[in-house]
Amino acid sequence: MANIKDIARLAGVSASTVSRVINQSGYVNEKTRITIEKIMKQLDYVPNRNAVSLKTGRTGFLGIVAPYFNDSMNLLLSHFTMAAQKEGYNISLFMTLNDKNKEIQAFEMLRRKQIDAVLLLIRLNEWSVLEQYAKYGPVVTWQRLDSDIIHSVYMNQYDGYTLALEHLYKKGRRKIVNLYGNLESLNTRSRMKAYEDFCKKYNIHYNENFHGIASVKNGENMAQWWLKQKEKPDAFATLSDSVAAGLFTKAQEYGLDIPRDFSVMGFDDIEISRLLKLTTIHYPIDLQAKNAFIIIDNILNNKNTPSFPLSFHLVERKST
Amino acid sequence: MANIKDIARLAGVSASTVSRVINQSGYVNEKTRITIEKIMKQLDYVPNRNAVSLKTGRTGFLGIVAPYFNDSMNLLLSHFTMAAQKEGYNISLFMTLNDKNKEIQAFEMLRRKQIDAVLLLIRLNEWSVLEQYAKYGPVVTWQRLDSDIIHSVYMNQYDGYTLALEHLYKKGRRKIVNLYGNLESLNTRSRMKAYEDFCKKYNIHYNENFHGIASVKNGENMAQWWLKQKEKPDAFATLSDSVAAGLFTKAQEYGLDIPRDFSVMGFDDIEISRLLKLTTIHYPIDLQAKNAFIIIDNILNNKNTPSFPLSFHLVERKST
DNA sequence: TTGTAGGCGTTATCAC
DNA sequence: GTGATAACGCCTACAA
């Protein structure tokens, strides 16, 4: 593999001149520039990125960190990758499973200058631990977080959930069962608050809810639960399309008629909701991804690109 | 950030000795080793990987290249990542979309020593072009390829498809419609051959088939097609669970009874087939991923780990 | 406009 | 067992 000195020798110049041509920095005589470029092409020369990285302290790699990847996260991943690649960055992936150490290792890469920034989808360690690393490079998260150190492209679930509840109300539903996720999570809190406010607004007192309902399986179980109730609820608001899908398919299996027997609201607008024709809440993961990159790019390169505004919207299909 | 010289100075030794401790190579006095290790821990020292990479010509990064990522590919990605991380490697991701140049760029990283190996899921450029890069590092593909230069973890679709057909036969189906993918692809050829041999074996002459049927949408359209037929086929063998899912859900919408009206066979055994209870063909993507890593690891580190044997199996659910 | 020299942080080859 | 010393390939003051 040819290196910068080879090029310099063949062009009859010094390495620094070649470097200037490569990086388009400083002054270079037009004629010598052309000669050098020709020789680089001839020798099929490309700079050794490891040397560049050592020297500059930047690798052009951005890290994406998550315990695992599901549909929505893949969407985020795709759009972020596209945005990054467009600007010449590459992506490195860290699947932390449920290993806090793995997550730390990923952040260590930032410290070791193996990656220039981190996009954290779902965290394992405490924020206070992760914040320590922000001094080594920009850190952006998909999760809800109010911090000056770690940036967030989070969208307040309150608005989205309210949209879902309002839709069910408009469809005449008054006995809405809320299927929440993890009680500890801030998202769940937001949703609970949304339901509380919704009830106040319409003077509703029905309050049946479950938490820890996050999987297809969990959703399926809810169908059975519904069958057993005397006072039947007329709608389910869910955490995700997966939960809704489980509930919906199981209900069909039992011969129920959705939405006549009850409505099912999904959340996320992923593939499966399209397939099963579930009404759901769409949110712009693509724009979140772009915003995440914009934040990183702004910090890394002293730019000032504005973010995209984000908003939820209802996708009405046939389950409500 | 402390570097190796700082450690050396504080330990009262030379950088070389510190290096020996770090890499556990050569002889180091037990006592000095302990001192050095203590100081490294104190200063929270970690070697700068860029310097290591420059020196050794290895980065510890493995590239995964694909135009996009769907369910099966994500599964492959996960398992490969886990295997790689376990051995201290990291993953970098290249989404080529449909841009041949992007794919080349990814392979260029191999040449520039930014990554140590490539796992190629779906190619865009000609094999002959990509083979050029194999001299810069191991290249493994998920696709069918018979080459000494690029390695493959492909599984012959003939066997899997035969399994599907045999199952339908056992269920009394004799008019099986084949929904093939791209006619050009070697996979399609294998499937066609499987059907041909199947017909010979059972003396079947029915031969209705379509090609280019690869999406949910395509599957949906087949439901409508079935309705319009006078001589109704009694089964569909498909390219993928997505196609099967589209066909299945649309048929249900039309009030058809699967499998009474006709059987639907999926392929892949992804989430959606579990959800919709589609009979399908499972193949061990996890093992393919592990094998891909084993091949790379063997080459990179002169190991000789044997691969896992791979085989298809039938997952019988309710659509047949 | 170009060249020189020094350094980025490691590893590897020798001597000692 | 240990320590100089020379790479690895590039960038960047500074000098010319």
Side-chain angles (χ1 to χ4, degrees):
Chain A
M1 290 277 322
N3 62 28
I4 201 171
K5 280 187 188 166
D6 296 332
I7 306 296
R9 190 162 15 84
L10 288 168
V13 297
S14 79
S16 25
T17 306
V18 178
S19 175
R20 286 192 200 95
V21 172
I22 294 170
N23 301 300
Q24 309 178 350
S25 68
Y27 296 98
V28 171
N29 183 316
E30 185 65 12
K31 235 178 83 187
T32 58
R33 211 205 67 222
I34 292 177
T35 322
I36 291 174
E37 276 172 350
K38 205 174 66 188
I39 293 179
M40 292 200 300
K41 198 153 290 170
Q42 270 177 20
L43 292 208
D44 205 15
Y45 166 81
V46 280
N48 180 322
R49 280 290 314 192
N50 290 323
V52 177
S53 296
L54 174 59
K55 189 65 197 172
T56 62
R58 292 223 179 148
T59 58
F61 271 91
L62 307 179
I64 298 195
V65 182
Y68 53 89
F69 285 86
N70 62 25
D71 279 4
S72 344
M73 290 152 85
N74 278 318
L75 202 57
L76 192 80
L77 176 62
S78 298
H79 285 280
F80 184 79
T81 303
M82 289 190 299
Q85 285 182 350
K86 200 177 293 174
E87 294 293 324
Y89 284 96
N90 286 115
I91 299 305
S92 54
L93 210 60
F94 300 92
M95 206 162 331
T96 53
L97 304 171
N98 266 329
D99 189 343
K100 286 190 177 192
N101 267 327
K102 279 254 165 60
E103 190 178 66
I104 293 292
Q105 276 172 36
F107 277 80
E108 278 290 330
M109 305 275 291
L110 199 59
R111 190 154 80 99
R112 297 189 192 199
K113 298 170 179 297
Q114 283 246 85
I115 54 181
D116 297 343
V118 167
L119 172 57
L120 175 63
L121 301 196
I122 296 188
R123 82 173 207 270
L124 300 177
N125 288 275
E126 293 301 319
W127 287 118
S128 57
V129 174
L130 302 177
E131 277 181 342
Q132 308 284 327
Y133 287 92
K135 60 171 168 283
Y136 302 115
V139 177
V140 178
T141 179
W142 198 31
Q143 292 191 286
R144 176 171 177 175
L145 176 68
D146 197 19
S147 157
D148 293 332
I149 304 173
I150 295 182
H151 305 81
S152 171
V153 291
Y154 163 86
M155 291 177 70
N156 193 339
Q157 307 277 312
Y158 181 95
D159 302 335
Y161 207 64
T162 299
L163 212 55
L165 296 170
E166 291 283 353
H167 172 71
L168 291 173
Y169 188 85
K170 220 170 279 165
K171 290 290 179 181
R173 307 296 157 151
R174 297 296 181 268
K175 294 187 201 159
I176 303 170
V177 179
N178 293 284
L179 303 183
Y180 299 124
N182 179 1
L183 256 193
E184 315 286 305
S185 102
L186 292 175
N187 280 350
T188 299
R189 298 279 169 79
S190 293
R191 286 159 187 245
M192 290 172 77
K193 184 71 170 66
Y195 186 68
E196 190 188 321
D197 292 352
F198 169 80
C199 287
K200 249 180 233 154
K201 177 174 174 189
Y202 293 111
N203 195 30
I204 287 174
H205 296 286
Y206 188 81
N207 192 8
E208 190 81 68
N209 69 69
F210 293 83
H211 49 89
I213 309 295
S215 67
V216 170
K217 194 87 201 152
N218 296 149
E220 288 179 350
N221 293 336
M222 293 313 302
Q224 201 168 1
W225 173 86
W226 186 88
L227 284 175
K228 286 192 282 192
Q229 301 312 300
K230 272 174 297 187
E231 189 199 347
K232 304 248 186 250
D234 55 16
F236 288 88
T238 67
L239 171 70
S240 72
D241 288 338
S242 297
V243 173
L247 172 53
F248 178 82
T249 52
K250 203 64 173 185
Q252 280 204 328
E253 220 172 281
Y254 291 148
L256 302 179
D257 182 335
I258 311 286
R260 194 184 313 157
D261 289 322
F262 59 84
S263 295
V264 176
M265 275 290 314
F267 204 97
D268 286 349
D269 193 25
I270 58 176
E271 175 74 17
I272 189 122
S273 67
R274 246 162 297 167
L275 196 66
L276 298 176
K277 313 235 169 359
L278 302 175
T279 296
T280 189
I281 301 295
H282 175 92
Y283 62 99
I285 294 193
D286 52 340
L287 294 183
Q288 287 185 295
K290 284 180 187 169
N291 282 351
F293 178 74
I294 286 173
I295 293 173
I296 289 174
D297 190 35
N298 281 345
I299 297 176
L300 246 28
N301 304 309
N302 281 315
K303 292 191 193 173
N304 219 340
T305 315
S307 298
F308 294 97
L310 307 176
S311 65
F312 291 97
H313 76 262
L314 178 79
V315 180
E316 184 170 356
R317 298 206 180 91
K318 309 201 167 161
S319 67
T320 53
Chain B
M1 291 276 324
N3 62 29
I4 200 170
K5 280 185 186 167
D6 297 332
I7 307 297
R9 188 162 16 84
L10 288 168
V13 298
S14 77
S16 337
T17 306
V18 178
S19 176
R20 284 194 202 93
V21 172
I22 295 170
N23 300 298
Q24 310 179 349
S25 66
Y27 295 97
V28 170
N29 184 318
E30 185 65 9
K31 232 177 89 187
T32 59
R33 210 204 68 222
I34 291 176
T35 322
I36 291 173
E37 277 172 349
K38 205 173 66 190
I39 294 179
M40 292 201 297
K41 198 154 291 171
Q42 269 175 20
L43 293 209
D44 205 13
Y45 165 81
V46 280
N48 180 323
R49 280 290 314 190
N50 289 323
V52 177
S53 296
L54 173 59
K55 190 63 193 169
T56 62
R58 293 225 178 145
T59 58
F61 271 90
L62 307 179
I64 298 195
V65 182
Y68 54 87
F69 286 86
N70 62 25
D71 279 5
S72 344
M73 288 151 87
N74 279 319
L75 201 57
L76 191 79
L77 176 61
S78 299
H79 285 280
F80 184 78
T81 303
M82 289 189 300
Q85 286 183 349
K86 200 176 293 172
E87 294 294 322
Y89 283 95
N90 287 113
I91 299 304
S92 54
L93 209 61
F94 300 92
M95 208 163 328
T96 54
L97 305 171
N98 265 328
D99 188 343
K100 286 190 175 190
N101 267 326
K102 280 254 165 59
E103 189 178 67
I104 294 292
Q105 276 173 34
F107 278 79
E108 278 291 328
M109 306 276 292
L110 200 58
R111 190 155 80 100
R112 297 189 190 201
K113 299 173 178 298
Q114 284 245 86
I115 53 180
D116 297 343
V118 167
L119 172 57
L120 175 64
L121 301 196
I122 295 188
R123 83 174 206 270
L124 299 177
N125 288 276
E126 294 299 320
W127 288 118
S128 57
V129 174
L130 302 177
E131 277 180 342
Q132 308 284 326
Y133 287 92
K135 60 171 166 285
Y136 301 116
V139 177
V140 178
T141 179
W142 197 31
Q143 293 192 285
R144 177 171 175 176
L145 176 69
D146 197 19
S147 157
D148 293 332
I149 304 175
I150 295 181
H151 305 80
S152 170
V153 292
Y154 164 87
M155 290 178 68
N156 193 339
Q157 308 278 312
Y158 181 96
D159 300 335
Y161 208 64
T162 299
L163 213 54
L165 296 169
E166 291 282 352
H167 172 70
L168 291 172
Y169 187 86
K170 221 171 278 164
K171 291 289 180 179
R173 306 296 157 149
R174 296 297 180 270
K175 292 185 202 164
I176 302 171
V177 179
N178 294 284
L179 302 183
Y180 298 124
N182 179 1
L183 256 192
E184 315 286 304
S185 100
L186 292 175
N187 280 349
T188 300
R189 299 280 170 78
S190 293
R191 286 159 187 245
M192 291 172 76
K193 183 73 168 69
Y195 186 67
E196 191 188 319
D197 292 352
F198 168 80
C199 287
K200 249 180 233 154
K201 178 172 173 191
Y202 294 111
N203 195 30
I204 288 173
H205 296 287
Y206 189 82
N207 192 8
E208 191 80 67
N209 67 70
F210 293 82
H211 49 90
I213 309 296
S215 66
V216 170
K217 194 85 202 153
N218 295 152
E220 289 178 350
N221 293 336
M222 294 313 302
Q224 201 168 3
W225 173 86
W226 186 87
L227 283 175
K228 286 194 283 192
Q229 301 311 301
K230 272 174 299 192
E231 191 200 345
K232 304 247 186 250
D234 55 16
F236 288 88
T238 68
L239 172 68
S240 71
D241 287 338
S242 297
V243 172
L247 172 53
F248 178 82
T249 53
K250 204 63 173 184
Q252 280 202 329
E253 222 171 281
Y254 291 148
L256 301 179
D257 182 337
I258 310 287
R260 195 185 310 155
D261 290 322
F262 58 85
S263 295
V264 176
M265 274 291 314
F267 204 97
D268 285 351
D269 194 26
I270 59 177
E271 174 75 16
I272 188 119
S273 67
R274 245 161 297 166
L275 196 65
L276 298 176
K277 313 234 172 357
L278 302 174
T279 297
T280 190
I281 301 296
H282 175 93
Y283 62 101
I285 294 193
D286 53 338
L287 294 183
Q288 286 185 295
K290 285 180 187 169
N291 281 351
F293 178 73
I294 287 172
I295 292 172
I296 289 174
D297 190 35
N298 281 346
I299 297 176
L300 246 28
N301 304 310
N302 281 316
K303 295 190 191 173
N304 220 340
T305 316
S307 297
F308 295 96
L310 307 175
S311 65
F312 291 97
H313 76 261
L314 179 79
V315 179
E316 185 170 356
R317 299 208 180 90
K318 307 202 166 158
S319 67
T320 52

